Amino acid sequence: TLKEQESAASQVPKAKEDKIALLRAQAAQSLLKASQDGTLAEVLAETSTLKEQESAASQVPKAKEDKIALLRAQAAQSLLKASQDGTLAEVLAETSTLKEQES
């Protein structure tokens, strides 16, 4: 009947809600126990230390990447300036002449 179907359909969400409530209660109980016996503080301290180490480790490559990017920008700027004022052509011509003389 329709009432039986509605009742069965309403039981599915209720069972799911009961399972969620049970999981929440278990999680709360575990956290309470861990806070009382000190293991929560230990784990949080370890996690904090690991995050600090990871953060410091990630800053080294970032700083290196920033330095490399700065050097690339400076090199590009120098090449652009040298190509505009003619010094790049002069240096390339000198280099080419030196290579020919060495051969």
Side-chain angles (χ1 to χ4, degrees):
T1 67
L2 183 59
K3 283 188 177 185
E4 289 174 344
Q5 289 175 351
E6 288 176 354
S7 177
S10 69
Q11 293 300 317
V12 172
K14 182 165 177 19
K16 188 174 183 179
E17 289 175 13
D18 290 345
K19 188 173 183 178
I20 291 170
L22 177 62
L23 287 172
R24 285 183 178 151
Q26 289 173 341
Q29 184 64 32
S30 295
L31 287 171
L32 178 63
K33 182 178 183 259
S35 70
Q36 290 173 342
D37 67 13
T39 55
L40 180 61
E42 289 174 18
V43 169
L44 291 175
E46 288 174 16
T47 303
S48 177
T49 302
L50 287 174
K51 283 186 179 181
E52 289 172 5
Q53 290 171 350
E54 288 173 359
S55 177
S58 70
Q59 293 302 317
V60 172
K62 183 171 178 7
K64 190 174 183 179
E65 288 175 15
D66 290 346
K67 188 173 182 178
I68 291 170
L70 178 63
L71 290 172
R72 284 183 178 150
Q74 289 173 341
Q77 186 64 32
S78 296
L79 286 171
L80 178 62
K81 183 178 179 229
S83 70
Q84 291 172 339
D85 67 13
T87 55
L88 179 62
E90 290 174 19
V91 170
L92 291 175
E94 288 174 18
T95 305
S96 177
T97 304
L98 288 174
K99 284 188 178 182
E100 288 174 5
Q101 290 174 355
E102 289 176 355
S103 303

